[in-house]
Amino acid sequence: QVQLVESGGSIVQPGGSLRLSCAASGFSFGVYSMSYFRQAPGKGPEWVSRISPSGRNIDYADSVKGRFTISRDNTKNTLYLQMNSLKPEDTAQYYCARGSAITWGAVDYRGKGTLVTVST
C-alpha cells in the first residue's frame, strides 16, 4: 500500500534551517509529481511546493519562495524540503503528498506529517 513517512521536524530559532524528508513506498515514486503542504495551529492546510517526476519543474507558494527548496531522489524514493531563513509563521505540521494538486481536498495520499516549530 502507499506509504509516505515524513521526518526532520524540530524546534528551531528564527533564521534557522531545517531539512525535511519524506520516504515513499508502495507505488512508483519516480513517475509521480510530489508536493508539500503545511497546516499551522488553528488554520487550514496550505500548499507549499510541488515538484515534477523528473525534478525539472518546480513551483512554490509565494510565502516560501526564495527560502524553501524542494528536491527529490528517485533512486531513494525520497522527497526533500530544505527550509532556510525560517520565520515564526512557518510553524506548522508539514505533510508530503503524492501528486501535483495544490488543494488539500484533491490529494489522494499524504503522510501523517512532521512538526516544525520556529520559536525563540
Side-chain angles (χ1 to χ4, degrees):
Q1 70 278 22
V2 173
Q3 283 197 313
L4 298 168
V5 180
E6 301 93 339
S7 61
S10 183
I11 300 172
V12 62
Q13 291 189 343
S17 297
L18 278 177
R19 188 174 84 152
L20 306 184
S21 299
C22 171
S25 62
F27 66 103
S28 298
F29 179 77
V31 302
Y32 281 89
S33 293
M34 296 293 295
S35 302
Y36 270 102
F37 287 78
R38 67 185 181 184
Q39 186 166 18
K43 296 189 177 181
E46 174 190 19
W47 171 76
V48 173
S49 181
R50 64 183 175 186
I51 185 169
S52 64
S54 67
R56 282 194 288 268
N57 295 306
I58 290 173
D59 297 300
Y60 296 100
D62 288 343
S63 57
V64 306
K65 200 171 294 183
R67 300 187 299 120
F68 289 14
T69 302
I70 193 171
S71 62
R72 64 191 297 159
D73 186 337
N74 289 342
T75 67
K76 296 181 178 179
N77 290 351
T78 303
L79 178 71
Y80 302 101
L81 186 68
Q82 177 67 43
M83 305 186 294
N84 298 330
S85 302
L86 283 161
K87 305 175 182 180
E89 52 263 43
D90 294 318
T91 294
Q93 188 84 352
Y94 283 73
Y95 301 88
C96 72
R98 190 177 76 169
S100 60
I102 61 171
T103 55
W104 188 248
V107 169
D108 62 353
Y109 289 99
R110 60 181 180 266
K112 295 182 178 180
T114 187
L115 182 62
V116 173
T117 302
V118 184
S119 174
T120 55

